[in-house]
Amino acid sequence: MTQYYIEHQKILVSVDCIIFGFEQNKLKVLLGHRHIDPGKGLWSLYGGFVGNKESVDEAANRTLYELTGMRNVYMRQVGAFGSVDRDPGARVVSVAYYALINVKDYDQKMLAEHDVEWVDIEELPEMFSDHKQMIRKARKLMQQKIRTEPISFQLLPALFTLTQLQRLYEAVNGEEVDKRNFRKRIKEMDFIEKTDLIDKTGSKRGAYLYRFNKHAYNKEDANFKL
């Protein structure tokens, strides 16, 4: 095969996955410790290098599957991070992605297998390279998206209370919302359906459970805005 661009420096390309979950009213991110140098032992996102025969998106999906065992997960690109000195091991440009999963859908055995754990996004430890910067940018993008698209339901169980939904929005945005206005807006959305089921884990009286009707949302071409 004819070689082109041989006069240029070769740069490595990697992907890093920022996996968000919602647990105990906290927005959390899946982190682990690096097992290799440089930065061995430091907190880190889970990632890897892009293979010669895969696209960047394919590498991100493969990396996500290796860590979670899950496919068809909501995932979006955050952007490229390419500071010259971001990786002391080599010249590496990383493309970051964020994904949203339900914590309860994640096999607990894989936590131990990959030596990762859910960490409160408000209590991030010192991390390798620019990984904390990646997380912060991903959160900002999610904050923008969650106001106009129903991505929040990727983080919740199929049945949820309005309090759970409210707490999720507060955790993502890092601020309280007005309960009355929030619930009024939710109840105006026909694709968020109230069921006859009641959750009594929080109180004896309990709270009605709701569900997101994806089919109704797509069919109505609904305007989702919170």
Side-chain angles (χ1 to χ4, degrees), residues 35 49 93 113 156:
H35 295 160
F49 290 103
V93 173
E113 179 181 339
L156 292 170

Side-chain angles (χ1 to χ4, degrees), residues 45-158:
L45 294 168
Y46 191 86
F49 290 103
V50 179
N52 289 333
K53 295 184 178 181
E54 62 182 357
S55 69
V56 177
D57 286 348
E58 288 170 342
N61 278 290
R62 170 181 56 77
T63 301
L64 180 66
Y65 179 73
E66 289 174 354
L67 179 59
T68 67
M70 301 166 66
R71 298 190 187 279
N72 300 317
V73 172
Y74 179 92
M75 184 167 64
R76 295 292 184 272
Q77 189 179 117
V78 176
F81 294 77
S83 296
V84 174
D85 58 350
R86 64 174 302 274
D87 191 322
R91 182 76 170 94
V92 182
V93 173
S94 181
V95 181
Y97 290 76
Y98 80 89
L100 309 179
I101 67 173
N102 182 353
V103 170
K104 292 185 179 179
D105 290 340
Y106 185 53
D107 189 344
Q108 294 297 304
K109 293 180 180 178
M110 299 195 79
L111 285 173
E113 179 181 339
H114 294 287
D115 189 26
V116 293
E117 60 185 87
W118 291 106
V119 176
D120 186 345
I121 197 170
E122 304 293 352
E123 300 177 357
L124 292 177
E126 290 302 313
M127 300 183 66
F128 175 74
S129 187
D130 49 11
H131 288 192
K132 190 180 289 189
Q133 180 184 347
M134 291 179 179
I135 294 172
R136 287 171 175 165
K137 184 175 181 181
R139 187 184 188 183
K140 287 183 179 179
L141 293 175
M142 183 166 54
Q143 288 171 343
Q144 297 169 4
K145 188 77 71 175
I146 203 171
R147 296 187 181 102
T148 58
E149 295 182 21
I151 65 170
S152 55
F153 305 106
Q154 306 287 340
L155 296 163
L156 292 170

